Amino acid sequence: MSEESTTPALVERVRGLLEAASRQEWDATLRSWAPGAVWDGFHQGVGKFEGVSAIRGLWTEWTGAYDEWRIEIEEILELGNGVVLAMVLQGGRPVHSVGHVQADDAWVYEWADGMVVRVTAYSDQDEGRAAARRLVEERG
């Protein structure tokens, strides 16, 4: 298995994508995504979305359910072989609510030729971390 990289290139790229997503700047968020990229939310119960347009639609609908929504980055690790693990806290205040909701997620980014080709989202951070490490081995 590859060791975690200290090279900041993909870490900083993912950080920039997540910061843009938190501001709901979808053009900036999706600029580095391959046209046929996949957002796999199976492990979160939201299904799989193929193509930048479908992914934008998912995010627009998802964040539209909130008056306030954000992503906080807890940790980003480049694991090697084009795999980046992002531990994030996402949440906010749903529309017409005074309460707040939040979720600790693990998002596993797969990069190829300088583009995001797939993100698999996990509601269980330990499950996401284990899946990311397996993916590094598979891609090696």
Side-chain angles (χ1 to χ4, degrees), residues 39-100:
W39 178 273
D40 185 350
F42 171 79
H43 299 281
Q44 293 185 310
V46 296
K48 184 166 72 170
F49 298 82
E50 298 184 42
V52 170
S53 179
I55 295 166
R56 178 190 299 266
L58 165 67
W59 291 344
T60 300
E61 184 177 337
W62 183 268
T63 59
Y66 295 87
D67 280 331
E68 299 169 11
W69 180 82
R70 75 197 177 298
I71 295 174
E72 293 179 24
I73 300 167
E74 296 177 331
E75 180 178 33
I76 303 174
L77 299 171
E78 184 176 352
L79 301 177
N81 296 331
V83 177
V84 176
L85 174 65
M87 303 301 230
V88 301
L89 173 67
Q90 69 156 321
R93 186 173 55 81
V95 172
H96 307 299
S97 174
V98 295
H100 283 76

Side-chain angles (χ1 to χ4, degrees), residues 5-135:
S5 174
T6 57
T7 306
L10 289 181
V11 167
E12 290 309 312
R13 290 187 71 186
V14 169
R15 182 179 310 284
L17 297 176
L18 291 171
E19 289 170 351
S22 191
R23 295 186 302 270
Q24 298 180 37
E25 295 174 356
W26 305 129
D27 288 339
T29 303
L30 293 166
R31 186 172 295 125
S32 296
W33 288 63
V38 173
W39 178 273
D40 185 350
F42 171 79
H43 299 281
Q44 293 185 310
V46 296
K48 184 166 72 170
F49 298 82
E50 298 184 42
V52 170
S53 179
I55 295 166
R56 178 190 299 266
L58 165 67
W59 291 344
T60 300
E61 184 177 337
W62 183 268
T63 59
Y66 295 87
D67 280 331
E68 299 169 11
W69 180 82
R70 75 197 177 298
I71 295 174
E72 293 179 24
I73 300 167
E74 296 177 331
E75 180 178 33
I76 303 174
L77 299 171
E78 184 176 352
L79 301 177
N81 296 331
V83 177
V84 176
L85 174 65
M87 303 301 230
V88 301
L89 173 67
Q90 69 156 321
R93 186 173 55 81
V95 172
H96 307 299
S97 174
V98 295
H100 283 76
V101 296
Q102 66 182 31
D104 287 307
D105 295 335
W107 294 347
V108 179
Y109 285 76
E110 296 178 50
W111 290 79
D113 299 322
M115 304 291 286
V116 176
V117 294
R118 182 182 194 90
V119 173
T120 305
Y122 295 86
S123 296
D124 181 311
Q125 288 189 338
D126 291 334
E127 181 183 5
R129 188 179 300 275
R133 294 199 185 284
R134 283 191 305 273
L135 182 60

